[in-house]
Amino acid sequence: EGEPAAAAAAYQRVYYGYPTAPEAAVAQKELARLRFRLGDAYPPPMPQQMLERAEYWLRARQYRSARAEYESLIAQLGGRERELARVRLGAALYLDYDTAAALDYLASLDTADPAAEAERLYYLVECARRLDREADMTAWLAELARRHPSSEWRLKALISAANRYLLENRADRYEPLYRACYEDFPPGAETAYCHWKVAWSRYLRRSPEAAGMLREHVQNYPSSEKAPAALYFLGRLAEAASRPEEAKTWYQAVTERFPNYYYALAARERLAQPHLAGASVSAQVIAFLRSMSWPERPPGDGFQPNAACRLRLERARLLSAAGLGAMAEEELRFGAGADGRPQIAALELGRLLSGKVPVHQALRRLKQLVPGYLGYAWEAAPEHFWRLLFPFPYRSLIEKHARRHKLDPFLVAGLLRQESEFNPGAVSPARAYGLAQILPSQGRLLARRLKLPRYRTALLFQPDFNLRLGTYYLRTLLDKYGGRLEAALAAYNAGPNRLEKWLSWGSFEDPAEFIETIPFTETRAYVQAVLRNAEIYRRLYAPAPASARSSSAGRKPASKTRPPGRPK
């Protein structure tokens, strides 16, 4: 009360910075009271604070609230902040799918501030893309290039427009846009993505520069998530050119550096081919690989606790023994970052959670604790570590339904881990239910085909019922696509209609080639993850050595002698 101006500043921080907090309504009332009391002495809020509140509504997808906020700010602000508020009012219209109104409004604006103008042009590109106004989209992209060549908004617009053409398989249109991204902007995750799209397009068309671009991708973007793909397809090109020593060296690089990722699985399959098993290695490729600035790998002694880690484990165990499980977990979470041994914290957390929380909750918390777990060499981590991160709940049910439909139970486990993390109560944003994530309408159709009476959506939360439908559906997809596991998984995730279109884009003799061509990042990552999961489950839980088993159920073997197929 003695410092009303300071009180007003504090209330402003709450009102503008935390719009949805209960205290925001209190702050609003107090601000109105202080504004009346102080009159001209009332401290005006900072323009950036005011924009922050509106931007919060945008991030929260409360677009009507955002529009109302921006309309209010346009009347209150001046200069650059007013220009930004005007443009973001149009952005709120676009994000609220009032696209035609957003385009008309943004096209009518005359903005003087360069940053606001670049943002305006970006949203005009987005509106034109959504409305299929290709000529307008191209014109506004050109305007961005002319007036704001280095703006982040131009980079975003280029990627968005290129992705539109990617979904239509129009390489002649998306290649120049992706190329502009990595040629005109500094290296980063976005430019690595764009470079890969061009490199992959050249690979599919067997352009003479394909191998050079794949090498360039590894060299310029060694931290790229596509580095293992680049190494693998360099191996495929070497095989096609009858250079087995080079192919073997590329494949070995994948398995050594990315041991638990999809492309390591694919590389091991290639290395098992007779013409590569007895080949030597390439000194030239080894020299190239050694010249790379690869990301740092987990230490070889990663599961040996240091002194700080041992103290952390002791404190966590004492807290757990005292019945303070939440505090014990918090101790481990803090230590995962502070001690640099998240994998050891994960082992201890797994022990603390065992039998106390559902498997899906433990799995999610462990994955959060040690996000880089796939980077560990298989033999460097104890088997218990892998079993914690690849648990096998509902095993008897999974095996029963897998046998019924002649499926690999490890494949089914890998699919469930990706679909629901073994949460029988999972509900996706698309309203898919249960372990195998079945849509209610899909469940009704599957239940009818299986002659299961009295279907109702609630049954999808029952593991036995859900697995019966999910395994049957996977079997029908495998049968429909001739046993091609990668196609069946893509259809399971994205739907058969999309899959049919993607299959028409090329003659894919290598399953990895089709998978990498899937234009939806979510579906591509899903297929790779399920196949990787299945291989890990096979290693962990198969009664016979994994090497004695087929690497995947229902998959046609890749050609041993023919090079990867050209697209149609």
Side-chain angles (χ1 to χ4, degrees), residues 157 259 295 363 412 491 494 568:
L363 175 57
V412 177
K568 295 178 181 177

Side-chain angles (χ1 to χ4, degrees), residues 101-436:
L103 188 145
D104 290 342
Y105 169 77
L106 290 165
S108 71
L109 286 184
D110 183 15
T111 50
D113 180 77
E117 174 64 6
E119 191 170 343
R120 181 184 79 93
L121 288 169
Y122 164 75
Y123 279 109
L124 282 170
V125 169
E126 289 290 80
C127 289
R129 177 189 58 80
R130 187 182 284 170
L131 295 171
D132 289 325
R133 291 172 55 166
E134 188 172 333
D136 288 335
M137 184 181 76
T138 302
W140 281 315
L141 277 171
E143 187 73 2
L144 262 172
R146 185 179 69 83
R147 299 180 61 183
H148 311 283
S150 302
S151 169
E152 64 172 327
W153 295 108
R154 180 182 173 232
L155 177 61
K156 290 179 65 174
L158 284 168
I159 294 174
S160 179
N163 286 344
R164 174 190 187 273
Y165 293 123
L166 179 71
L167 295 177
E168 299 171 356
N169 197 32
R170 295 171 63 183
D172 62 318
R173 301 308 301 267
Y174 67 68
E175 274 199 28
L177 298 173
Y178 285 133
R179 188 181 303 111
C181 293
Y182 67 79
E183 288 180 349
D184 296 353
F185 291 89
E190 295 90 352
T191 51
Y193 167 85
C194 295
H195 185 276
W196 175 253
K197 290 301 183 186
V198 177
W200 182 243
S201 177
R202 298 302 174 89
Y203 175 90
L204 283 178
R205 290 186 283 123
R206 299 303 183 267
S207 297
E209 66 269 31
M213 287 205 70
L214 293 176
R215 291 172 70 106
E216 185 178 79
H217 191 82
V218 176
Q219 195 162 28
N220 294 349
Y221 308 100
S223 299
S224 164
E225 65 175 16
K226 293 301 180 183
L231 295 172
Y232 175 80
F233 289 108
L234 280 165
R236 293 296 280 144
L237 288 177
E239 276 195 87
S242 299
R243 295 196 295 270
E245 69 287 345
E246 291 185 17
K248 182 173 184 176
T249 313
W250 291 122
Y251 293 145
Q252 286 180 342
V254 181
T255 62
E256 291 168 5
R257 187 155 289 279
F258 305 98
N260 302 301
Y261 289 84
Y262 166 74
Y263 280 106
L265 164 63
R268 282 191 288 269
E269 290 182 351
R270 300 309 305 167
L271 286 167
Q273 303 299 318
H275 68 287
L276 293 182
S280 59
V281 294
S282 167
Q284 183 182 19
V285 172
I286 290 174
F288 172 81
L289 294 168
R290 286 177 177 169
S291 70
M292 298 296 95
S293 298
W294 297 104
E296 186 176 350
R297 303 176 69 179
D301 63 344
F303 288 85
Q304 298 300 318
N306 55 26
C309 189
R310 283 193 292 271
L311 287 174
R312 188 83 56 192
L313 295 178
E314 184 178 344
R315 281 197 293 271
R317 288 165 185 166
L318 288 171
L319 289 166
S320 178
L324 302 172
M327 292 182 67
E329 182 172 348
E330 188 58 34
E331 180 74 20
L332 291 171
R333 289 191 177 280
F334 178 80
D339 304 335
R341 289 287 197 275
Q343 64 279 10
I344 296 177
L347 282 171
E348 184 64 22
L349 180 60
R351 189 185 69 81
L352 294 180
L353 296 178
S354 179
K356 297 177 183 176
V357 301
V359 169
H360 66 272
Q361 291 184 15
L363 175 57
R364 178 161 295 187
R365 283 145 80 170
L366 289 168
K367 286 165 68 176
Q368 291 171 347
L369 191 64
V370 57
Y373 64 94
L374 290 172
Y376 288 96
W378 183 262
E379 63 280 0
E383 183 175 302
H384 183 57
F385 176 77
W386 296 115
R387 285 179 178 258
L388 284 172
L389 287 157
F390 291 86
F392 204 167
Y394 308 107
R395 182 170 183 172
S396 61
L397 283 179
I398 290 169
E399 290 177 338
K400 178 182 78 171
H401 292 294
R403 282 195 303 270
R404 173 178 289 168
H405 298 297
K406 298 180 181 178
L407 295 170
D408 177 357
F410 303 121
L411 169 68
V412 177
L415 182 144
L416 298 180
R417 184 182 187 272
Q418 204 62 24
E419 287 285 351
S420 65
E421 294 181 330
F422 301 104
N423 179 6
V427 180
S428 77
R431 310 303 295 174
Y433 288 51
L435 289 174

